């Protein structure tokens, strides 16, 4: 395996627990403001997360759960405006400091930068959501840490399709063999491995029971001294905190 050159991160659930603490709450706020009596409970939201993309999730909810919705001329535009309202509420939650990075994420990003590795993002969420998360957690300058930020509708097919990872690899002008992807869901794993990327899983609140067959390791987080991580599948040397040198070793051990 050629030497590791880049780390590519998913956002929601991987960099931060944004679904549990942010998007779900913001969706419900937007529904209430629009006069809808929809309530996305944590349980229902876990189901709805099978559909990636906020607009796609709302459409699926309308189709699958047949809730009451106002008669509108242009349903696509109506969903887009509901989604924009959700994102406005989501940004308020981010600015309010309610959503922090998962343990160990900042450490690993800093270690990778120190070692001269390329950093990138491949996500389904809206570009402005990524930028606001970075601004509110790591500061404005952190946006420049990422050589490529592939997000949202830049590709027509969202995860589990591999398109967003293929798009990012093209932007980075790197082959998948020299990169490592970080994901938290089965859909994300399918997307990354579909682009031939070795994929490291930090399972999260909504993905504890996902099937991660095909991942190079599965942990419950990246861990740090105060909050050590557990290895669910993979070498013990990854715990108690996933260090860059351990990732380099793991990547090199892949056939
Ligand atoms: C997660 C998603 C997104 C978010 C909401 O993306 O599926 O849809 O739930 O964001 P990822 P939007 O794990 O790839 O970061 O409403 O902006 O889609």
């Amino acid at each position: 395996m050629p030497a590791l050159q880049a780390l590519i991160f998913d956002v929601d659930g991987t960099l931060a627990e944004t679904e549990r603490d942010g998007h779900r709450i913001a969706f419900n706020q937007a529904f209430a403001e629009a006069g809808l009596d929809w309530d996305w409970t944590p349980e229902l939201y876990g189901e709805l997360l099978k559909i990636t993309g906020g607009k796609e999730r709302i459409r699926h909810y309308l189709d699958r759960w047949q809730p009451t919705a106002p008669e509108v001329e242009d349903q696509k535009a109506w969903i887009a405006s509901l989604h924009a309202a959700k994102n406005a509420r989501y940004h308020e939650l981010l600015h309010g400091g309610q959503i922090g990075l998962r343990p160990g994420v900042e450490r690993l990003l800093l270690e990778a930068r120190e070692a001269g590795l390329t950093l990138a993002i491949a996500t389904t969420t809206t570009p402005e959501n990524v930028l606001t998360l970075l601004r509110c957690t790591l500061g404005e300058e952190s946006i420049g840490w990422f050589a490529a930020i592939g997000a949202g509708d830049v590709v027509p097919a969202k995860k589990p399709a591999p398109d967003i990872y293929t798009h990012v690899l093209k932007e980075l002008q790197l082959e998948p063999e020299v990169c490592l992807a970080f994901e938290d869901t089965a859909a994300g794993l399918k997307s990354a491995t579909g682009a031939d990327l070795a994929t490291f899983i930090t399972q999260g609140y909504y993905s504890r029971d996902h099937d991660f067959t095909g991942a190079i390791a599965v942990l419950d987080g990246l861990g740090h001294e105060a909050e050590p991580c557990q290895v669910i599948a993979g070498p013990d040397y990854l715990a108690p905190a996933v260090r860059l040198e351990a990732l380099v070793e793991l990547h090199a051990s892949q056939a």
Side-chain angles (χ1 to χ4, degrees):
M1 184 66 98
L4 182 61
Q5 290 182 39
L7 307 183
I8 309 177
F9 291 87
D10 165 54
V11 173
D12 295 298
T14 300
L15 292 184
E17 278 288 8
T18 54
E19 301 292 6
R20 184 190 61 190
D21 305 332
H23 289 295
R24 186 188 71 85
I25 292 164
F27 273 115
N28 283 332
Q29 289 174 346
F31 299 155
E33 280 164 26
L36 299 163
D37 63 354
W38 304 354
D39 178 19
W40 286 7
T41 62
E43 295 69 30
L44 173 60
Y45 197 66
E47 269 300 306
L48 294 173
L49 277 175
K50 287 177 187 156
I51 307 300
T52 59
K55 294 188 289 286
E56 293 80 355
R57 196 168 297 140
I58 294 170
R59 176 170 296 282
H60 168 80
Y61 180 67
L62 272 165
D63 294 347
R64 165 74 178 76
W65 301 82
Q66 298 175 322
T68 48
E71 285 290 321
V72 288
E73 216 170 276
D74 184 345
Q75 197 187 57
K76 197 172 172 208
W78 181 71
I79 289 174
S81 71
L82 204 50
H83 184 244
K86 182 279 286 184
N87 281 342
R89 299 287 87 75
Y90 176 63
H91 292 178
E92 281 169 15
L93 293 171
L94 287 172
H95 284 293
Q98 268 108 320
I99 305 166
L101 297 179
R102 291 186 66 181
V105 167
E106 182 170 1
R107 183 204 61 246
L108 183 59
L109 292 175
L110 294 175
E111 277 185 33
R113 271 173 61 71
E114 179 78 24
L117 261 68
T118 296
L119 296 175
I121 280 175
T123 175
T124 293
T125 200
T126 313
E128 198 52 44
N129 290 350
V130 183
L131 302 183
T132 308
L133 176 72
L134 293 176
R135 274 188 198 110
C136 293
T137 53
L138 294 166
E140 182 71 34
E141 66 161 38
S142 66
I143 293 168
W145 298 358
F146 297 89
I149 298 181
D153 297 325
V154 69
V155 288
K158 292 183 175 167
K159 298 176 188 178
D163 303 31
I164 195 67
Y165 278 102
T166 309
H167 169 85
V168 167
L169 287 169
K170 205 169 161 198
E171 282 215 347
L172 296 176
Q173 295 185 293
L174 288 175
E175 294 301 320
E177 295 73 33
V178 299
C179 304
L180 195 52
F182 291 79
E183 276 287 352
D184 69 309
T185 63
L189 172 65
K190 193 168 178 208
S191 173
T193 54
D196 295 327
L197 285 155
T199 308
F200 189 97
I201 298 290
T202 48
Q203 65 179 24
Y205 179 77
Y206 277 116
S207 62
R208 278 176 287 220
D209 59 352
H210 285 197
D211 179 0
F212 291 121
T213 307
I216 61 166
V218 182
L219 282 81
D220 64 355
L222 292 173
H224 57 51
E225 281 65 31
E227 230 174 304
C229 59
Q230 304 283 330
V231 178
I232 293 145
D236 288 342
Y237 63 71
L238 293 168
V242 180
R243 314 302 307 222
L244 181 63
E245 58 180 19
L247 289 175
V248 169
E249 187 176 339
L250 180 65
H251 175 261
S253 72
Q254 302 304 303

